[in-house]
Amino acid sequence: MAENCLKFLKGTLFIFNFIFWICGCIILSLGIYLLVEYNYGALFPSLPSLSFANILIIVGAIILVVAFLGCMGSIKENKCLLMSFFILLLIILLIEVVMAILLFIYEKKINEYVQIQLNEGLKMYEWDNSTGITKAWNMIQQQMQCCGVKNATDWPRLPKSCCMGNSYSNNSDSCPIYYTEGCYRKLAEWFENNFLLVGIVTIIVSVIQVLGMSFAMTMYCQIVKNTYPMNL
């Protein structure tokens, strides 16, 4: 009975971590793609490395390592690897909880910081060459159909990416029809509209982590029990 239970836990934990590993590969690949194609990190001059793409790359790499430990621990029935897998998942779960609490407590300050960084980045916009921050601002304004941080008046001269359609005139260097809504408000609206989806994904990920921890600890205890059977 104990041997069958151990085999079941071994197979379940391996499948769980294999799926987890595939998800890590997808997240890592998506992060690399976004980093190459959409370098939005340049919008924040003080923290250019703090971008959604870089966060995905870090998360994907961590998932690959954790899933590898889980797979090897389950296949080899190695107590050290299983315990390492359990501890890493626990640390990640605690970090997620702490970050969620900090985001809730300092939401207002974070919003103010984002606006300040966007304004600083806007001042560094280069008109004559294609720097990273220039590409980032042009891309976000075209894709989100916005202009400036709060509105179009943030710009001393409207860039072409603020113009609607083909209203930009190369001859007069003017933009008669342009987007009036600021990009900060557009970003805030996007997060508000997708808040429920983000919450659901967060809950699902947390449940998966707890299940992984439960399977790992149960298998660990079963291995210990089989290794050192109690003398009745």
Side-chain angles (χ1 to χ4, degrees), residues 6-62:
L6 186 59
K7 288 181 179 179
F8 171 77
L9 288 171
K10 182 178 180 179
T12 304
L13 190 60
F14 176 79
I15 294 172
F16 168 83
N17 281 287
F18 182 71
I19 296 173
F20 203 38
W21 186 82
I22 292 175
C23 291
C25 291
I26 294 172
I27 293 173
L28 181 63
S29 301
L30 180 61
I32 294 173
Y33 171 76
L34 291 176
L35 183 64
V36 174
E37 296 294 330
Y38 308 100
N39 187 21
Y40 288 138
L43 294 172
F44 298 88
S46 299
L47 295 170
S49 298
L50 183 62
S51 66
F52 184 64
N54 287 334
I55 292 173
L56 287 180
I57 291 173
I58 294 171
V59 171
I62 292 173

